[in-house]
RNA sequence: GCCCGCUUGGCGGAAUCGGUAGACGCAAGGGACUUAAAAUCCCUCGACCUUUGGUUGUGCCGGUUCGACUCCGGCAGCGGGCACCA
């Protein structure tokens, strides 16, 4: 964007008019004043109601972009508004500073992850400060600092003691060329992103947290989170995935092994036509030992990687093991046993029976391998003989057929009956399972919090003694060889066993970075406490977070882990609350088109321009491929920086733009059209208030006895705006709040101030306007507040109160419909009686024309809204 | 593939409980002011028609209702998540 030059433009200062609003100077001035006065430093005060507002802290990826700014503009609006309403507000900011990008940068640019991270933090902190956000910067934390993660290590040891952490074999993506574990993101079409080698799955012994211990609690408590969006609660509910069903074992023909399966559809057991086990099932491993074809099949399945999305979208493949499972209700029936790539070892028992007629996945599989499809549930009233299942499974309700003793039952009764019969045979039982799995927290990476345990050949796993915490990351590491630098560090991992003093090794895995973000909100209550993770009284005062704000993309993982952590911390005696976030607002993502050059490399938007309608590189003119709209992220380079917007227009203008137009929960496609409009509004408010048409009444003067009709009308608008604005902010409808304030501005601009008392009305209106825009444009607000003759800061002034008498209109416009079509609009007194409204409606000429002389069949009157004449 | 959303003028969006579709802006067009421009101000702005009025219109198809952007059923397109990106 290149701003057009001109006198009214913020980028240019002709220096000739006092009406110029200089955003740069003004914003710096007020930021310094707030800072100097410590305006936003929070202290516990039991005498005042507290309000804890938190935006999800950022990963320090390098530069702040518009997506970050949207998040913080929303949070600051809430924080400043609540503050003006008299709350003792805690509004902190910090850095989610461990993570993979720092290591990628280390490998690509030979920078140490710590240097890279701290430099990014410094840059982003500076950028953040230019936004003028009401943060208590004294509480800033960075999760990569030992002062932070030492407490995390202690928390882990307490979880270990409480039985909430244990070791478990789990699968990872293995790059056989780089000898490195790959993140799912680093696996592209089954190959390592750098080496291009086909990925393998490997089993590693890893640390796991027992989130499933809280599965029921996490599920049940969702209903109480009434200030959370329904969609997030639904997503978590589905993620936990509580389902009841039947677990039972199949006996095999000519084989001593048994296969235990879980099903949510025991009613369809008579429709079973195969049994399938996961490629990682012990039985598959046993059979593969003597079978090179099966071994090859299993390794092919494993080349898909560990990502569930990849596994589920892959073509469904099976390998017939030749084994036959015996049907539990009919010993004469046998079912072929397959190894199938769509059966997940992590869910249920890692084995299923397939009923193709009533499960789409089973049907696809059966059609591919020519297995029988036998419908056993038939919709009520359908002839069972003619009911066929083709390419679409029938999953609806119905009556059982072809099912022996279940025939004639409905689905639910048949489930109960089938479970009862299996239980009677002793082959299995009705049970409840969860989709939720325990949380694997081990990562084979350097830039994370070291897991504080020691492996001793003699004593086994020994926790690091508390007095030896923190286990600090060594700084002298090399990324020249593949794998985890901690693992090949010459000395770091070699320690004496705390128990037997013999030679032992440190755990070289580090924690998943979701570990840090699962408790940071509580750390903000006492960020500098050295002896414990939380000062109990501070945590009791501030927690839970009253309003948490962040992207929807965190709807499940981060938010569920935090809920689990808070419960676990409570059980370990750290905290008093179980739920971390009382209110949640999930903002939509800021999206932008992505660009790729001919080599398939991502390009930044500023590297691309349109020439003759064709996108090309600015520097070489080579063609550029425009990709789809995606969430702004540094990895795809579709980020838009803030600097030049703030430089040209100021932070307030950008904040206004980010809050106008799009409602916060919706995705926002970033375009710079609109920034000029936002600036025009800033300049307009500035002119309106600094150059009033008439002299304003002095600050604090009493309401005059006489006020003109126009003045009274303006006052109604002022008070209606106060009322509606507050309501909008409470409900996160910032776009509407902005629209209201613009309407107020339009109304005040139209009042010439010459009528009786209008100088007083204008002062009331201007002061209200300034107070309302304060939470979104705080610098402009302070400057105008001062200009209106106030000595105290706007930031320290109370919110305006609406006069209830001025909020309701005396007359309303009621619409009149004839057979549902609008025919007239009638001004009527508020709450007019039914008879009056109906008479007025029927007397209207246009209504009579539409009625064509026909008699009224029915009259519907909704007071203050509508009359519908049905003829 | 599974789970969760979203879809309204040229564009962002408004319509809060089923009751006047398009508030408030952006862009565009026209005009005033100006030597000229910028800035500012005024007017027009869903589509169509036989224009003091009428028809039609909220992704598509169908339903419920006196009345549907809103509720129900089906479909399409777009986006998010899927456990090692954060």
């Amino acid at each position: 964007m290149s701003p057009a030059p001109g006198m009214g433009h913020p980028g240019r200062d002709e220096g000739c008019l006092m009406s110029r609003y200089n955003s740069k100077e003004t914003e710096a001035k007020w930021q310094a004043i707030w800072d100097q006065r410590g305006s936003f430093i929070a202290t516990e005060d039991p005498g005042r109601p507290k309000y804890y507002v938190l935006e999800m802290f950022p990963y320090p990826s390098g530069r702040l972009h518009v997506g970050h700014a949207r998040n913080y503009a929303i949070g600051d609006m809430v924080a400043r508004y609540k503050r003006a309403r008299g709350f003792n507000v805690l509004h902190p900011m910090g850095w989610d500073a461990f993570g993979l990008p720092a290591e990628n940068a280390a490998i690509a640019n030979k920078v140490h992850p710590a240097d890279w991270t701290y430099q990014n933090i410094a840059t982003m902190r500076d950028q953040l400060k230019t936004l003028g956000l009401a943060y208590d910067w004294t509480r800033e934390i960075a999760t990569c600092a030992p002062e932070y993660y030492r407490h995390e290590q202690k928390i882990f040891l307490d979880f270990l003691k409480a039985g909430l952490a244990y070791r478990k074999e789990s699968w990872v993506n293995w790059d056989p060329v780089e000898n490195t574990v790959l993140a799912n993101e680093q696996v592209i079409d089954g190959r390592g992103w750098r080496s291009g080698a086909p990925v393998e799955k490997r089993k590693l012994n890893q640390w796991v947290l027992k989130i499933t211990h809280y599965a029921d609690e996490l599920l049940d408590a969702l209903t109480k989170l009434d200030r959370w969006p329904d969609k997030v609660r639904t997503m978590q509910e589905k993620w936990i995935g509580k389902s009841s069903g039947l677990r039972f074992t199949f006996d095999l023909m000519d084989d001593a092994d048994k296969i235990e399966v879980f099903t949510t559809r025991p009613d369809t057991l008579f429709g079973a036509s195969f049994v399938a086990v996961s490629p990682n099932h012990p039985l598959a491993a046993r059979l593969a030992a003597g079978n090179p074809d099966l071994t090859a099949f299993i390794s092919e399945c494993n080349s898909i990687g560990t990502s569930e999305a990849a596994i589920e979208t892959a073509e469904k493949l099976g390998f017939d093991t030749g084994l036959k499972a015996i049907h539990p209700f009919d010993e004469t029936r046998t079912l072929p046993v397959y190894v199938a790539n769509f059966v997940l070892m992590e869910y249920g028992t890692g084995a299923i029976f397939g009923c193709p007629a009533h499960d789409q996945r089973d049907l696809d599989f059966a059609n591919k391998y020519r297995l029988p499809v036998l419908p056993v549930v038939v919709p009520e009233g359908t002839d069972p003989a003619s009911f066929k299942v083709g390419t679409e499974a029938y999953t609806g309700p119905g009556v059982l057929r072809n099912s022996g003793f279940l025939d004639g039952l409905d689905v639910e009764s048949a489930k109960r009956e089938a479970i009862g019969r299996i239980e009677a045979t002793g082959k299995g039982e009705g049970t409840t399972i969860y989709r939720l799995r325990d949380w694997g927290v081990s990562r084979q990476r350097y830039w994370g919090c070291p897991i504080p345990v020691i492996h001793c050949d003699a004593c086994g796993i020994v926790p690091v003694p508390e007095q030896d915490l923190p286990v600090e990351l060594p700084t002298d590491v090399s990324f020249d060889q593949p794998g985890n630098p901690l693992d090949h560090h010459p000395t770091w991992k070699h320690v004496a066993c705390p128990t037997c003093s013999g030679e032992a090794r440190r755990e070289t895995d580090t924690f998943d970075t979701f570990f840090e973000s699962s408790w940071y909100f509580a750390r903000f209550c006492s960020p500098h406490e050295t002896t414990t993770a939380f000062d109990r009284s501070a945590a009791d005062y501030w927690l839970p977070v009253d309003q948490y704000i962040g992207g929807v993309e965190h709807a499940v993982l981060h938010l569920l882990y935090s809920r689990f952590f808070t419960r676990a911390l409570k059980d370990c005696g750290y905290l008093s609350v179980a739920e971390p976030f009382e209110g949640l607002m999930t903002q939509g993502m800021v999206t932008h088109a992505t660009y790729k050059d001919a080599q398939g490399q991502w390009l930044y938007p500023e590297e691309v321009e349109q020439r003759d309608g064709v996108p090309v590189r600015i520097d070489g003119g080579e063609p550029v491929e425009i990709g789809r709209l995606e969430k702004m992220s540094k990895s795809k380079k579709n980020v838009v920086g803030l600097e030049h917007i703030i430089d040209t227009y100021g932070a307030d203008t950008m904040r206004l733009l980010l809050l106008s137009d799009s409602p916060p929960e919706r995705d926002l496609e970033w375009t710079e059209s609109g920034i000029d409009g936002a600036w025009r509004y800033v300049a307009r408010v500035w002119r309106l208030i600094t150059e009033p048409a008439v002299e304003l009444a002095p600050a604090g003067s009493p309401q005059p006895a006489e006020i003109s009709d126009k003045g009274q009308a303006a006052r109604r608008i002022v008070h209606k705006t106060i009322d509606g604005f507050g309501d909008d902010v409470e409900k996160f409808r910032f776009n509407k709040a902005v629209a209201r304030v613009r309407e107020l501005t339009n109304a005040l601009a139209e009042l010439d101030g010459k009528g009786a008392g209008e100088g007083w009305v204008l002062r009331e209106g201007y002061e209200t306007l300034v107070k309302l825009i304060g939470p979104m444009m705080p610098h402009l607000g302070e400057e105008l507040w001062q200009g209106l003759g106030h000595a105290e800061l706007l930031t320290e002034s109370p919110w305006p109160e609406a006069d209830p008498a001025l909020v309701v209109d005396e007359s309303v416009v009621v619409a009149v419909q004839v057979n549902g079509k609008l025919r007239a609009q009638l001004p009527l007194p508020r709450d007019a009686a039914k008879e009056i409204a109906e008479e007025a409606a029927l007397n209207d000429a246009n209504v009579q024309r539409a009625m064509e002389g026909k008699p009224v069949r029915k009259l519907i009157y909704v007071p203050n809204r509508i009359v519908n004449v049905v003829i």
Side-chain angles (χ1 to χ4, degrees):
Chain A
M1 180 209 61
S2 55
M7 212 174 79
H9 196 277
R12 270 274 196 86
D13 190 355
E14 307 290 318
C16 56
L17 286 173
M18 57 173 281
S19 66
R20 293 286 305 111
Y21 174 62
N22 186 325
S23 62
K24 218 166 193 171
E25 270 174 30
T26 310
E27 292 184 352
K29 177 176 91 185
W30 290 107
Q31 283 162 19
I33 290 171
W34 295 326
D35 198 36
Q36 192 191 318
R37 293 178 59 93
S39 293
F40 308 119
I41 295 176
T43 40
E44 292 88 76
D45 176 358
R48 287 165 68 204
K50 66 92 184 182
Y51 199 88
Y52 183 0
V53 191
L54 184 66
E55 298 103 64
M56 290 180 184
F57 68 162
Y59 178 77
S61 55
R63 307 196 84 73
L64 231 46
H65 59 68
V66 191
H68 294 115
R70 186 186 199 198
N71 190 203
Y72 310 142
I74 293 169
D76 208 47
M77 175 106 193
V78 175
R80 287 178 181 266
Y81 169 77
K82 286 290 176 182
R83 187 188 160 82
R85 294 234 99 155
F87 288 91
N88 185 22
V89 170
L90 172 60
H91 189 211
M93 181 41 74
W95 310 96
D96 187 13
F98 275 137
L100 210 42
E103 284 189 53
N104 293 334
I107 295 164
N109 309 321
K110 308 259 174 214
V111 216
H112 193 282
D115 295 338
W116 185 85
T117 302
Y118 280 108
Q119 266 168 29
N120 287 348
I121 288 175
T123 310
M124 290 172 74
R125 184 196 298 116
D126 285 348
Q127 292 184 301
L128 217 42
K129 289 201 170 173
T130 65
L131 288 173
L133 302 160
Y135 289 134
D136 178 352
W137 280 107
T138 66
R139 292 177 187 255
E140 180 182 1
I141 54 178
T143 58
C144 63
E147 295 76 37
Y148 183 85
Y149 68 67
R150 65 178 304 155
H151 303 294
E152 181 161 312
Q153 293 175 337
K154 172 70 163 56
I155 289 169
F156 176 76
L157 295 178
D158 285 332
F159 284 0
L160 197 56
K161 260 185 240 159
L164 290 169
Y166 66 101
R167 300 274 280 172
K168 188 187 170 191
E169 293 254 280
S170 25
W171 296 92
V172 294
N173 298 308
W174 182 257
D175 185 320
V177 171
E178 294 201 335
N179 290 314
T180 310
V181 174
L182 296 178
N184 283 335
E185 187 190 49
Q186 299 172 321
V187 178
I188 295 157
D189 298 329
R191 290 170 181 273
W193 67 343
R194 270 192 273 262
S195 70
V199 165
E200 296 168 7
K201 263 171 41 172
R202 278 213 180 172
K203 227 177 198 182
L204 292 181
N205 218 347
Q206 310 208 62
W207 288 103
V208 176
L209 297 188
K210 225 183 220 170
I211 189 172
T212 54
H213 175 72
Y214 297 93
D216 268 319
E217 230 188 296
L218 289 167
L219 180 65
D220 294 343
L222 283 173
T223 57
K224 291 179 220 133
L225 294 174
D226 55 355
R227 288 208 296 120
W228 278 42
D230 288 342
K231 64 173 171 181
V232 174
R233 292 192 286 174
T234 313
M235 277 191 258
Q236 293 210 351
E237 185 191 324
K238 305 272 181 180
W239 185 265
I240 294 168
K242 183 176 186 170
S243 55
S244 56
L246 169 67
R247 189 199 294 268
F248 70 98
T249 50
F250 278 103
D251 293 324
L252 299 177
M253 263 175 70
D254 309 321
D255 196 299
D257 249 338
K258 292 174 192 298
I259 300 175
E260 186 178 42
V261 300
F262 174 81
T263 178
T264 57
R265 294 296 304 271
D267 55 309
T268 64
L269 203 33
F270 282 99
S273 54
F274 65 96
V275 169
V277 303
S278 163
N280 302 316
H281 194 277
L283 180 67
R286 196 202 94 194
L287 296 171
N291 187 335
D293 291 345
L294 181 54
T295 306
F297 177 76
I298 291 172
S299 73
E300 191 192 327
C301 294
N302 284 339
S303 73
I304 296 170
T306 60
S307 140
E308 189 178 320
I311 293 167
E312 294 259 348
T313 45
E315 191 193 356
K316 281 151 198 58
L317 294 175
F319 184 99
D320 190 347
T321 62
L323 288 176
K324 303 284 178 202
I326 299 163
H327 196 284
F329 291 145
D330 181 357
E331 290 185 5
T332 64
R333 267 179 79 182
T334 63
L335 306 172
V337 176
Y338 282 80
V339 174
N341 65 353
F342 61 89
V343 181
L344 302 174
M345 196 58 216
E346 289 78 20
Y347 183 71
T349 59
I352 58 151
F353 76 79
C355 175
H358 306 294
D359 181 285
Q360 192 59 45
R361 228 167 22 177
D362 295 348
L363 182 62
D364 294 343
F365 189 81
N367 286 339
K368 186 173 174 100
Y369 293 100
R370 294 163 201 257
L371 297 165
V373 179
L374 176 67
V376 289
V377 177
V378 174
E380 192 104 39
T382 309
D383 175 18
S386 64
F387 185 74
K388 290 269 184 314
V389 168
T391 54
E392 208 151 306
Y394 178 72
T395 55
V399 182
L400 273 286
R401 299 287 178 229
N402 306 320
S403 292
F405 55 83
L406 297 177
D407 276 353
L409 295 177
D410 62 78
V411 167
E412 286 312 309
S413 317
K415 281 182 183 173
R416 280 194 297 275
E417 180 62 22
I419 291 170
R421 295 274 184 139
I422 290 279
E423 283 176 344
T425 66
K427 284 187 173 128
E429 58 181 353
T431 181
T432 299
I433 68 156
Y434 299 85
R435 207 184 74 97
L436 181 68
R437 308 197 294 261
D438 278 337
W439 171 20
V441 293
S442 296
R443 297 291 181 270
Q444 296 69 44
R445 315 214 178 277
Y446 166 71
W447 194 234
C449 170
I451 300 178
V453 295
I454 290 163
H455 299 269
C456 171
D457 290 336
C459 314
I461 288 168
V462 184
V464 172
E466 265 179 47
Q467 66 272 17
D468 294 344
L469 296 182
V471 177
E472 286 200 43
L473 279 176
T475 51
D476 53 333
V477 287
S478 134
F479 289 89
D480 296 341
Q481 42 180 315
N484 180 358
L486 291 180
D487 200 33
H488 49 68
H489 188 281
T491 56
W492 185 78
K493 70 175 170 184
H494 303 289
V495 284
C497 170
T499 308
C500 70
S501 303
E503 272 184 37
R505 298 165 317 282
R506 283 193 190 285
E507 170 78 62
T508 59
D509 285 355
T510 51
F511 284 128
D512 178 3
T513 58
F514 275 124
F515 212 107
E516 283 86 55
S517 56
S518 295
W519 64 283
Y520 79 107
F521 46 86
R523 180 66 180 169
F524 274 134
C525 300
S526 52
H528 308 300
E529 177 64 50
T530 52
T531 53
T532 67
F534 320 110
D535 174 88
R536 190 61 184 259
S537 64
D540 285 350
Y541 178 76
W542 291 114
L543 292 177
V545 174
D546 295 275
Q547 189 60 55
Y548 196 35
I549 302 158
V552 247
E553 66 272 26
H554 293 293
V556 177
L557 292 180
H558 162 60
L559 288 167
L560 192 61
Y561 289 151
S562 298
R563 295 182 62 219
F564 153 63
F565 237 74
T566 308
R567 283 177 168 74
L569 287 169
K570 182 175 179 238
D571 289 352
C572 291
Y574 280 87
L575 300 171
S576 312
V577 294
E579 283 294 339
F581 313 120
E582 190 115 308
L584 173 70
M585 126 113 283
T586 51
Q587 52 160 37
M589 280 156 296
V590 177
T591 61
H592 198 279
T594 46
Y595 305 98
K596 268 186 184 177
D597 68 13
Q599 286 73 47
Q601 298 297 307
W602 300 106
L603 297 171
Y604 286 106
E606 59 264 30
E607 295 178 289
V608 178
E609 68 174 0
Q610 300 275 332
R611 280 184 210 161
D612 308 322
V614 181
V616 294
R617 280 193 74 125
I618 275 180
D619 50 10
E622 302 136 43
V624 166
E625 183 195 338
I626 300 192
R628 60 197 197 112
L629 283 182
E630 284 188 84
K631 170 177 82 166
M632 268 192 198
S633 79
K634 209 178 168 216
S635 60
K636 290 184 180 124
K637 293 196 177 179
N638 61 338
V639 289
V640 174
L642 305 171
E643 296 88 345
H644 83 270
I645 304 175
I646 294 175
D647 267 9
T648 325
Y649 299 94
D652 283 345
T653 304
M654 188 185 63
R655 292 174 59 162
L656 173 68
L657 179 64
L658 286 168
L659 294 171
S660 335
D661 295 350
S662 223
E665 56 285 341
R666 203 174 303 187
D667 285 352
L668 173 72
E669 187 192 344
W670 180 256
T671 58
E672 286 190 7
S673 70
I675 190 83
D676 281 311
W679 165 255
R680 268 203 296 277
Y681 179 70
V682 168
R684 180 158 181 243
V685 172
W686 173 259
R687 272 198 318 276
L688 182 69
I689 297 179
T690 56
E691 299 166 12
V694 292
E695 199 167 323
L696 301 181
S701 54
Q703 181 176 340
E706 201 197 337
I707 291 178
S708 69
D709 288 353
K710 272 160 64 189
Q712 270 306 341
R715 290 200 71 211
R716 282 190 184 280
I717 295 172
V718 169
H719 285 266
K720 275 201 261 184
T721 307
I722 296 173
D723 188 56
F725 189 95
D727 192 43
D728 286 339
V729 174
E730 302 271 0
K731 291 172 179 152
F732 307 109
R733 298 185 300 221
F734 307 118
N735 53 327
K736 287 184 63 186
V738 170
R740 267 184 220 282
V741 135
R742 281 181 180 272
E743 279 172 317
L744 174 62
T745 311
N746 293 343
L748 293 174
E750 272 167 36
L751 193 65
D752 62 16
K754 288 175 187 143
E758 289 180 15
W760 185 87
V761 172
L762 280 177
R763 170 164 289 275
E764 184 191 33
Y766 290 168
E767 293 200 344
T768 302
L769 178 59
V770 168
K771 285 194 168 185
L772 297 186
I773 63 173
M776 48 189 167
M777 297 191 285
H779 313 89
L780 178 67
E782 290 286 8
E783 190 70 13
L784 290 171
W785 190 243
Q786 191 185 50
L788 283 166
H790 295 278
E792 84 280 11
L793 295 190
L794 178 64
T795 304
E796 291 161 17
S797 308
W799 197 248
E801 293 290 339
D803 178 349
L806 294 174
V807 169
V808 214
D809 281 318
E810 286 153 340
S811 87
V812 292
V813 175
V814 171
V816 184
Q817 296 179 339
V818 177
N819 280 353
K821 287 197 172 161
L822 181 69
R823 297 300 173 187
Q825 298 180 8
L826 305 174
L828 287 173
R830 165 165 282 275
D831 298 325
K834 188 174 165 71
E835 297 72 29
I836 293 170
E838 288 176 358
E839 195 195 332
L842 294 174
N843 284 337
D844 182 88
N846 212 27
V847 170
Q848 288 182 352
R849 177 146 34 100
M851 288 174 68
E852 296 168 330
K854 291 176 186 155
V856 176
R857 285 196 2 230
K858 195 171 170 188
L859 265 173
I860 289 138
Y861 174 52
V862 181
N864 305 322
R865 292 207 184 262
I866 207 163
V867 176
N868 192 4
V869 183
V870 185
I871 55 170

